[in-house]
Structure formats: structure tokens, C-alpha cells
Amino acid sequence: MLKVTGLTKEFGGLRAVDDLSLEVKEGTIVGLIGPNGSGKSTVFNLISGFYRCDAGRIEFSGKDITGLPPHVIARMGLVRTFQQTRVFPEMTVFENLVVAPQDNVGEGFIDSLLFPRAVKEDQKKKGEEALALLRFADLYEKRDELAKNLPYGEQKRLELMRAVMTRPKIMLLDEPTAGVARPQVEKMREYILKLKDQGITFLIIEHHMKFVMGLSEWVYVLDHGQLIAQGTPSEVQKNPKVIEAYLGTGRMAAAV
Ligand SMILES: Nc1ncnc2c1ncn2[C@@H]1O[C@H](COP(=O)(O)OP(=O)(O)O)[C@@H](O)[C@H]1O
Ligand SMILES: [Mg+2]
């Protein structure tokens, strides 16, 4: 479903991503881990079109998407979430879902002048979809609350569901449990598995070792922009190079 070959990105003299190749098969959950600053978020920015790569090729569903802009890639079914949550704090939970992130405001405005009925129908359908999704995500009871008043774990979940509204084939999640309290981490895990059952493929960046190791079928490990290991979670946890990279960060200990 996703195939990255020889991906490279430099910032000034720094090689943030260095000749990286990886693959994500349809219907799987794949982890991308590595110490702080190892280039994980940059990889997501490259794949989703937010940054341009200096070298390499990105294929999604058999199509070359290298260099395409983010909204085009999103429309093809590849969406990402951000390390920093990006819900609209002053909107309600429901409103956050009906304002689909990939919508072009200009187009919507012209459409509403030219085809008012079609737009109205479209909005109605979107509203129904949003309510169904809120039920699925156990956020239905909170649909009229302002997003900023939700506990952080639920804001993260809302952000996840906002991305689901765009009907993605693959989701790139950048640290979905960062800052999330422990009971909510377990919830996040459940919803990701439920979405996987609905046919969504995942590539997940995580700091929370137990979480990512428990969910992923395959894990890639980055260090200083380079792929230092890949394998099943148990293989990766035993890999001396990985332990070395994490030494002193205390993160690996939490996984075993
Ligand atoms: N927009 C940018 N401009 C300059 N340097 C950047 C930029 N984005 C990331 N970097 C650098 O690239 C390296 C990798 O960062 P990042 O991809 O955020 O790592 P991670 O997500 O693994 O913590 C870091 O050294 C970071 O400072
Ligand atoms: Mg990051």
C-alpha cells in the first residue's frame, strides 16, 4: 500500500532522513520508532507531502506520489495526524467533524452559490456520517461540548476521527498517545484496532513502547535519520543496535 525508497531530507547540513526505505502492507499496523530527533516526524512530513524530499520515491497504492501537494495526497486516501493535537478548540465536537480538513473553502463557497441544494444535501449527509462516527468513537454524548473542554485523551480521539471523516485508506499517526493519561491510552488502542477492522491501514510513530509494540505487526527503527533495524516487535526489542540507540533514554525498559 505504501512503499518508500531511498528517502532523503537535509536541513542545512543535517541529514534528518538518510536513504530510508520502508513498506507498509495493506491491512497491517506498522510502527516507526526511534529516539527523539531521529527523523520520525520528518518522514511523515515527507510522505504526506508537507515537505519535499531531496531524493527518493514514495509510492502509494501503486502510484508515484513523490512531490504531490498534501491535499492531493489526502484526497487519494493518505492522511496524517500531528504530534501536536490540531482540533478546533472553540468548535463543538460535532462541528470539528463536519468541517472536513481537506475541504477547499473557496470551492465550497462557489458551490453553495451555484448548487445550493446539492451543498445542503451534502452537508446533511456529512452530519449523519459525523454522528455515526461519534457513536462509534463513544463521543456521541459529548457532541455539543466545545473541543477544548474534553480531556486531552478525548481530544486526541476526536482528532483521529476527524481524519477518519476523510475516508482514508492509510493513516499516519504521529504519537497518538503523547500526553494521554493511561486509561485513555488503552482506549486509543481499542479504537485503532476497531478502525483496522474497518479496513484502515496504519503507520504509527510512538514513544510509548508498550503501546506500539503491542499494536504493530512490523516495526522500523530510526536513529539519526537512518534505518538501524526492522522486524517483529520481539525481534526489534532484542536487537543490540536498538538497545544501544535507546541506551540512557530509559524507553526500552518500559517495553520489556
Ligand atoms: N523544519 C525543520 N527545519 C530544520 N530542522 C528540522 C526541521 N524539522 C526537523 N528538523 C530537524 O531534523 C531532525 C529530526 O527531527 P524530527 O523528524 O522532528 O525527529 P523525531 O520526530 O524523530 O523526534 C532534528 O534534528 C530536527 O531538529
Ligand atoms: Mg516527532
Side-chain angles (χ1 to χ4, degrees):
M1 164 150 285
L2 180 68
K3 189 174 176 197
V4 168
T5 332
L7 199 65
T8 299
K9 177 72 182 176
E10 291 192 0
F11 295 114
L14 174 86
R15 280 217 160 177
V17 179
D18 190 358
D19 195 22
L20 173 72
S21 297
L22 60 80
E23 246 182 87
V24 182
K25 293 201 169 68
E26 186 167 358
T28 61
I29 299 179
V30 171
L32 178 61
I33 67 168
N36 243 330
S38 57
K40 305 180 297 296
S41 292
T42 304
V43 170
F44 273 20
N45 282 321
L46 292 169
I47 294 174
S48 55
F50 284 82
Y51 292 169
R52 252 174 187 282
C53 57
D54 297 315
R57 181 182 161 91
I58 305 157
E59 276 173 54
F60 170 52
S61 290
K63 295 189 194 81
D64 184 0
I65 60 163
T66 322
L68 293 181
H71 68 277
V72 174
I73 294 174
R75 275 191 198 159
M76 291 170 75
L78 187 154
V79 300
R80 56 88 59 92
T81 60
F82 292 86
Q83 205 169 331
Q84 243 58 46
T85 301
R86 294 190 174 186
V87 294
F88 294 116
E90 303 293 340
M91 283 188 184
T92 67
V93 167
F94 174 75
E95 286 164 347
N96 262 278
L97 288 196
V98 288
V99 182
Q102 93 281 31
D103 263 15
N104 182 316
V105 177
E107 262 175 35
F109 176 67
I110 302 286
D111 278 354
S112 68
L113 288 177
L114 295 178
F115 316 106
R117 186 172 302 170
V119 168
K120 226 175 171 180
E121 281 299 307
D122 199 47
Q123 280 304 110
K124 201 176 143 209
K125 209 170 126 248
K126 217 178 216 180
E128 283 162 6
E129 276 176 26
L131 290 176
L133 194 56
L134 288 174
R135 277 195 201 94
F136 169 86
D138 296 318
L139 288 169
Y140 186 77
E141 303 299 321
K142 303 211 169 174
R143 62 193 180 279
D144 295 326
E145 284 190 31
L146 294 183
K148 68 175 180 189
N149 293 335
L150 295 186
Y152 189 66
E154 288 182 356
Q155 289 188 30
K156 289 287 243 193
R157 192 148 95 230
L158 178 60
E159 187 189 24
L160 186 69
M161 297 306 157
R162 257 167 59 81
V164 172
M165 279 297 282
T166 69
R167 300 175 179 277
K169 295 194 183 89
I170 184 168
M171 298 182 83
L172 275 47
L173 309 183
D174 198 345
E175 302 201 14
T177 73
V180 172
R182 193 171 281 202
Q184 293 290 337
V185 171
E186 185 47 37
K187 284 259 169 209
M188 184 61 85
R189 185 188 135 77
E190 283 169 29
Y191 293 105
I192 291 172
L193 286 172
K194 273 163 85 174
L195 291 169
K196 186 197 169 201
D197 286 343
Q198 299 294 314
I200 300 179
T201 302
F202 285 93
L203 178 60
I204 304 179
I205 293 178
E206 255 306 332
H207 250 97
H208 194 302
M209 280 296 163
K210 213 171 166 182
F211 179 82
V212 71
M213 293 297 187
L215 271 177
S216 308
E217 283 134 83
W218 197 257
V219 178
Y220 290 96
V221 190
L222 275 186
D223 190 27
H224 298 291
Q226 291 179 337
L227 189 67
I228 58 160
Q230 62 171 301
T232 63
S234 60
E235 285 167 357
V236 159
Q237 282 170 52
K238 280 183 249 149
N239 188 312
K241 276 190 186 172
V242 178
I243 295 166
E244 172 80 8
Y246 274 96
L247 217 62
T249 68
R251 292 282 183 186
M252 237 19 228
V256 286

